[in-house]
Amino acid sequence: LPSDPLGFDILAHIDQKIVYAKVLDKLASGGTIGIFPEGGSHDRTDLLPLKVGVALISYSALEKDGINIPIIPVGLNYFRGHRFRGRLTVEYGRPVYIDPQTLSAFKEGGAEKRRVCNELLERISDAMRAVIVSTPDYETLLVIHTARRLFQQREQSASQKQDLSRRFAEGYKRLMLMTHGSPPQQWLDLQARILAYSHELSDLGIKDYQVQGLDRENSESDGDAVIRETRLSYHIVHLIFVLL
């Protein structure tokens, strides 16, 4: 251990008023500001509660400069996001605007200001969920992505895959609402089969699109053929067992 004291840096205090003033000047001049309203990075399957900053900026711009800023929700949807150079789709939703009639409540301050800001945050949150695939947990997300891959009958673009996944996610949410969180046994059995299929693919180290080609003949040596036939028989038997 060093005998002499070690120096360290101190992060200076940042006056948020200065930051907000610069942001408002940028917006007033016709500029665009990108904000991550959750205020942090995470790998969860749903949004974190939004910070109030985006609402304060929007109302301040309307109050100070008379500008009703369009708040554009942007969805960043990752495919295998934990892998290096993983693919993602960027999707833009419909703009969210402040109701000008709520400006007086914002100016009033106190409880009324908090109320209109929270209402705006709820609308922004709903708009953001419309451009991402949000699920209550990772297992549900795995079921949705696997079901989408099994359902699609042809090659699709990344945006088409994203839209189909979101439709499956929305259907899952409606099912949970209709059944008050207790889906029928038929659905539970189907969910278990989908998860078993996904885990089996993972254990075997293959992808969905490779399943149909497991029994195709390729030019190979006799030794390779023996190894292939042995390995593929194991793969096919296990996959058929899971899907039955």
Side-chain angles (χ1 to χ4, degrees):
L1 295 176
S3 57
D4 298 330
L6 296 177
F8 57 91
D9 296 329
I10 299 176
L11 183 62
H13 172 71
I14 299 176
D15 189 347
Q16 296 295 334
K17 293 181 180 179
I18 298 177
V19 175
Y20 276 93
K22 291 184 177 296
V23 169
L24 293 177
D25 289 342
K26 184 69 173 180
L27 294 173
S29 64
T32 301
I33 300 294
I35 296 178
F36 289 83
E38 294 174 276
S41 176
H42 65 90
D43 59 355
R44 300 185 187 184
T45 57
D46 200 0
L47 294 174
L48 295 175
L50 304 189
K51 303 297 185 181
V52 73
V54 61
L56 294 177
I57 291 172
S58 301
Y59 270 107
S60 297
L62 183 59
E63 179 184 19
K64 178 176 178 290
D65 300 304
I67 304 174
N68 197 345
I69 300 171
I71 305 169
I72 311 296
V74 181
L76 302 179
N77 299 276
Y78 292 87
F79 295 84
R80 302 172 189 170
H82 293 283
R83 293 190 179 183
F84 180 63
R85 291 183 177 177
R87 293 182 302 160
L88 71 90
T89 61
V90 180
E91 191 167 350
Y92 298 88
R94 295 183 178 181
V96 176
Y97 290 93
I98 291 176
D99 181 359
Q101 296 182 355
T102 62
L103 181 58
S104 59
F106 177 81
K107 292 180 179 180
E108 185 176 330
E112 282 299 294
K113 180 178 181 178
R114 288 193 296 271
R115 178 182 64 81
V116 295
C117 285
N118 287 334
E119 289 176 354
L120 178 59
L121 290 178
E122 289 179 5
R123 293 171 56 206
I124 295 174
S125 181
D126 290 342
M128 291 180 64
R129 284 192 173 91
V131 291
I132 63 173
V133 178
S134 61
T135 57
D137 50 58
Y138 177 76
E139 184 176 272
T140 303
L141 184 64
L142 181 62
V143 169
I144 289 171
H145 281 316
T146 305
R148 185 263 298 166
R149 291 194 298 268
L150 290 171
F151 177 81
Q152 68 182 57
Q153 301 298 316
R154 55 183 176 79
E155 184 61 28
Q156 295 181 320
S157 66
S159 60
Q160 289 174 322
K161 292 177 181 178
Q162 178 66 15
D163 181 66
L164 188 56
S165 293
R166 188 163 46 249
R167 291 172 184 268
F168 272 102
E170 182 62 27
Y172 175 83
K173 293 175 186 177
R174 294 187 180 185
L175 175 64
M176 292 296 107
L177 287 175
M178 292 171 57
T179 60
H180 303 288
S182 300
Q185 187 61 43
Q186 184 179 6
W187 160 253
L188 295 177
D189 293 341
L190 176 60
Q191 178 176 259
R193 291 171 59 193
I194 292 175
L195 284 173
Y197 170 72
S198 179
H199 292 320
E200 185 77 3
L201 289 180
S202 179
D203 291 341
L204 297 175
I206 58 177
K207 307 298 181 183
D208 290 280
Y209 67 87
Q210 295 174 308
V211 174
Q212 294 181 350
L214 289 177
D215 57 349
R216 293 177 184 171
E217 292 290 339
N218 294 313
S219 57
E220 54 193 4
S221 66
D222 292 340
D224 290 336
V226 172
I227 294 175
R228 176 185 59 79
E229 291 172 2
T230 303
R231 184 178 300 159
L232 292 183
S233 298
Y234 172 80
H235 288 181
I236 293 172
V237 168
H238 274 263
L239 288 172
I240 290 176
F241 177 81
V242 170
L243 291 172
L244 287 177

